[in-house]
Amino acid sequence: MESKPSRINIIQARYILGRIPNSELPKLATQLLIDGYSSLALQILAGLQAYEIDLQANTLWDQVNTDLAFRPITSCDAARIYATDVLQQVILGTIDPFIAAEDLWDVSIEVRNNKTSNNQGRSQSEFHDLDPFIYCASEARSRPEDREFFRQAILSEAQDWLDQQDYR
């Protein structure tokens, strides 16, 4: 079992969840070229000029995914991959647990509001994987005197999440 999702999985997840601005795509394309990925669309994307980004970046990114046969992922899968990346950073201490929990709350809302179905046949409006973090974020807001308790709960849930992930 791998210890974390691959860079391309994290990029795909962030892109699907709207967490990558178009302006960042050429830089990411350059990094993927450095990592050994190669396609004409990837090369073009890496070389886009600032005035070309808004017009071409999304189309080129979609072509990169096709050219390199990246496995399509649903927004539910994207949220899980993104959560794994964020929660690893929480455990490492590079992201505050409350900021991470609030971010995952936002991601969960975005996934639930996406009305397409996921690859397991259930509506994405039934996505509840991140609910423990939502609960902690919500309760920490309304019970500031218990903030340390919720910090520890987020850390515990983060470790449990990471221990249960299957990285394929």
Side-chain angles (χ1 to χ4, degrees):
M1 186 178 330
E2 294 177 34
S3 62
K4 62 181 183 176
S6 70
R7 180 195 315 262
I8 192 61
N9 293 136
I10 294 167
I11 293 170
Q12 284 179 296
R14 288 180 57 217
Y15 181 79
I16 288 167
L17 297 170
R19 297 265 185 297
I20 296 179
N22 285 347
S23 61
E24 196 176 321
L25 287 173
K27 180 178 77 171
L28 292 172
T30 300
Q31 187 58 54
L32 290 174
L33 288 167
I34 291 168
D35 288 350
Y37 293 96
S38 182
S39 83
L40 180 58
L42 190 61
Q43 292 170 9
I44 294 169
L45 180 58
L48 285 182
Q49 300 297 314
Y51 68 90
E52 299 172 306
I53 291 173
D54 284 337
L55 297 173
Q56 298 179 34
N58 288 326
T59 302
L60 285 167
W61 179 252
D62 291 342
Q63 187 61 49
V64 166
N65 280 274
T66 300
D67 291 352
L68 300 179
F70 292 142
R71 181 179 66 91
I73 57 176
T74 66
S75 60
C76 288
D77 289 338
R80 290 181 194 102
I81 292 166
Y82 181 78
T84 299
D85 184 50
V86 168
L87 295 172
Q88 285 175 332
Q89 294 175 62
V90 166
I91 295 299
L92 292 172
T94 59
I95 295 180
D96 179 86
F98 294 109
I99 292 172
E102 294 273 346
D103 186 31
L104 295 178
W105 189 353
D106 291 342
V107 164
S108 187
I109 290 169
E110 291 166 16
V111 170
R112 289 177 186 173
N113 287 337
N114 185 340
K115 299 303 181 198
T116 62
S117 66
N118 68 21
N119 58 4
Q120 286 124 15
R122 63 178 201 208
S123 168
Q124 291 180 135
S125 64
E126 298 173 16
F127 180 75
H128 295 285
D129 297 35
L130 304 176
D131 285 0
F133 304 102
I134 295 169
Y135 173 77
C136 288
S138 173
E139 290 299 307
R141 281 183 184 175
S142 62
R143 295 170 40 197
E145 69 279 4
D146 293 327
R147 204 162 158 79
E148 186 54 33
F149 170 81
F150 290 111
R151 175 183 302 282
Q152 292 305 315
I154 293 167
L155 290 169
S156 176
E157 288 292 335
Q159 190 61 60
D160 288 349
W161 175 277
L162 295 173
D163 290 345
Q164 294 175 20
Q165 295 308 299
D166 178 16
Y167 306 106
R168 289 178 236 178

